Amino acid sequence: MKKFLTAAIAATLAMSSMGVATAAEAQSRGHQEQRHDRRDDRRDDRNDRREERRDERREDRRDNRSDRREWRQDNRDDRREYRQDQRAYGRWQQSQRRYNAGRYYAPRGYQQRDWSYGQRMPSYYRSNQYVVNDYNRYGLRAPPRGYHYVRSGNDVVLAAIAGGLITAVIAGLFN
């Protein structure tokens, strides 16, 4: 029985010392877990902030993209309006005022005719005799590059120099 009693006391002491060690380990484990939890919380916070910054940058890029689109569209509209303003004359228009410019003689083999947009003037009309160089005198705007005014009867035609393609007709400019 002595042996049994000694064994029981030894076991109790062993268990109590193990229990103390277990409590100490549990306490240190608790501190480690708290440290790990805090570290995980900091990581989560960093990741959250990183994601927020990323989202903000995405939104900024989208805003910039839409701003660029609007800017390009505004530029297109401005260019379109500018080109329309530069086209001083419609395809056909009646002159507001009539000028005396001397008698008109049609080229040999041609009769006076009414021209319209898109037609081609024959090469005879592109000679200096029919080209109107003093367009300011007759209240006309300067022709665009590659075009000139050509007199045909009492009308003036804005035609391409190279091919004679008619862009505008100003009817009744001359008496």
Side-chain angles (χ1 to χ4, degrees):
M1 178 92 186
K2 248 182 185 191
K3 282 185 179 180
F4 180 70
L5 195 55
T6 310
I9 292 173
T12 308
L13 284 173
M15 288 300 276
S16 66
S17 67
M18 281 186 72
V20 169
T22 312
E25 285 177 11
Q27 190 175 14
S28 70
R29 257 191 245 129
H31 287 299
Q32 285 177 352
E33 287 177 7
Q34 286 177 354
R35 269 188 290 169
H36 288 299
D37 288 344
R38 276 189 253 132
R39 188 180 305 150
D40 289 341
D41 290 344
R42 284 193 304 259
R43 271 191 202 131
D44 291 342
D45 291 343
R46 272 195 309 259
N47 288 339
D48 290 344
R49 285 192 303 260
R50 191 176 299 138
E51 287 175 7
E52 287 173 8
R53 285 192 306 261
R54 188 179 307 137
D55 291 343
E56 288 173 8
R57 284 192 304 261
R58 263 191 206 129
E59 289 172 9
D60 289 345
R61 279 194 303 255
R62 286 184 186 129
D63 290 343
N64 289 342
R65 194 176 303 146
S66 65
D67 289 345
R68 283 192 307 265
R69 278 190 197 121
E70 289 173 7
W71 180 80
R72 281 193 302 257
Q73 186 61 41
D74 290 344
N75 275 355
R76 275 188 215 116
D77 293 343
D78 291 345
R79 284 192 306 265
R80 186 176 302 123
E81 288 172 9
Y82 174 77
R83 285 192 304 262
Q84 287 173 351
D85 289 344
Q86 290 302 310
R87 292 184 199 121
Y89 305 107
R91 294 180 176 180
W92 188 93
Q93 72 179 40
Q94 184 68 38
S95 173
Q96 299 297 318
R97 185 171 173 204
R98 296 175 72 91
Y99 296 91
N100 290 323
R103 187 157 185 218
Y104 174 77
Y105 296 98
R108 188 173 295 176
Y110 289 93
Q111 297 175 353
Q112 183 178 342
R113 60 176 280 192
D114 292 331
W115 296 98
S116 64
Y117 174 83
Q119 294 179 331
R120 292 197 184 275
M121 293 202 79
S123 60
Y124 294 142
Y125 281 98
R126 288 182 244 150
S127 68
N128 284 340
Q129 182 180 359
Y130 300 102
V131 173
V132 177
N133 290 320
D134 52 349
Y135 43 84
N136 287 330
R137 177 178 170 195
Y138 301 113
L140 300 171
R141 285 189 178 185
R145 183 177 298 153
Y147 289 85
H148 60 188
Y149 292 108
V150 178
R151 181 176 179 186
S152 174
N154 293 335
D155 303 336
V156 171
V157 174
L158 180 62
I161 294 172
L165 184 66
I166 297 174
T167 309
V169 176
I170 300 148
L173 187 67
F174 299 108
N175 285 331

